[in-house]
Amino acid sequence: MCSGGFAKCLGISLMPLSIVCVLCNILLFFPGGTVVEKDHITRHAFFLGGILGSGVLMIFPALVFLGLKNNDCCGCCGNESCGRRFAMLSSILFAAVGVLGAGYSVVVSGVAINEGPLCLVNDVQNYSNDLVLKISCTLRKQCTEPKDVVSWHLSLFSVLLVMGLIQMVLCAVQVVNGLLGALCGDCCGCCGGVSI
């Protein structure tokens, strides 16, 4: 498979992952699936790890990777493959942006899972940070409101964590693919334009 074609596959894979991450982050603003006041939403949702990190910052690399397959740069210095090689090399920069964005989402998600949800404990009407506890079986019993907030919090941040790790791996693979495409050239270019 051509390095440009492989990059396109990576771009196609990154798009749905980005959409899932954005949706998960939006759902975090509705703890337990209910509408609550802003002060009752965990602060980690406002860090926008899924929207900015694994969402917006991942869209740019995905679009660049999608365009590499059809990149028909005119070349430079009399060498037609030079333009393609430069495009593959520049994709490494976008892959690095993707790694940083996904890494941000992974860090935010990991910290959020570790700290636990913001919830009403033992019928005390106080949603302060003092009530943010570690995830445990006893926490599920202690968090009385919003209902099912522990499962909601843990599930959504776990999805963000896993999706972020997958995005980081895909972007790291594109770094290697981009280096190979820049050094060796796109095999489609050296095979007379035949796509493999």
Side-chain angles (χ1 to χ4, degrees):
M1 178 182 278
C2 303
S3 56
F6 185 70
K8 183 176 181 179
C9 291
L10 292 176
I12 291 170
S13 301
L14 287 172
M15 293 300 275
L17 294 176
S18 299
I19 293 168
V20 168
C21 289
V22 169
L23 292 175
C24 284
N25 202 142
I26 290 171
L27 289 174
L28 285 168
F29 289 104
F30 305 96
T34 59
V35 178
V36 296
E37 293 180 24
K38 182 180 176 182
D39 296 342
H40 300 174
I41 300 171
T42 181
R43 62 190 170 99
H44 300 101
F46 293 101
F47 293 160
L48 303 177
I51 294 174
L52 292 179
S54 288
V56 174
L57 285 178
M58 197 55 64
I59 294 294
F60 297 117
L63 292 176
V64 169
F65 300 164
L66 285 171
L68 288 175
K69 169 76 173 146
N70 300 326
N71 186 5
D72 56 354
C73 296
C74 58
C76 57
C77 305
N79 185 356
E80 285 187 25
S81 67
C82 180
R84 286 188 177 154
R85 288 178 184 217
F86 180 75
M88 290 303 293
L89 191 61
S90 66
S91 74
I92 296 171
L93 177 65
F94 286 95
V97 170
V99 168
L100 289 175
Y104 173 71
S105 179
V106 166
V107 169
V108 169
S109 300
V111 171
I113 290 170
N114 184 50
E115 289 187 5
L118 195 60
C119 63
L120 184 67
V121 177
N122 298 329
D123 296 327
V124 176
Q125 294 294 330
N126 186 356
Y127 281 85
S128 68
N129 287 334
D130 297 334
L131 299 178
V132 178
L133 305 171
K134 301 275 187 208
I135 298 291
S136 67
C137 292
T138 57
L139 178 59
R140 291 178 191 264
K141 296 174 186 172
Q142 292 175 350
C143 281
T144 56
E145 203 177 306
K147 188 180 179 189
D148 299 326
V149 68
V150 176
S151 301
W152 189 267
H153 179 90
L154 186 59
S155 299
L156 291 174
F157 276 116
S158 295
V159 169
L160 284 173
L161 182 73
V162 170
M163 295 294 172
L165 290 172
I166 293 171
Q167 288 174 331
M168 289 176 72
V169 168
L170 292 177
C171 287
V173 167
Q174 177 53 31
V175 168
V176 174
N177 183 45
L179 282 173
L180 291 174
L183 295 175
C184 303
D186 191 6
C187 68
C188 291
C190 67
C191 298
V194 177
S195 181
I196 299 174

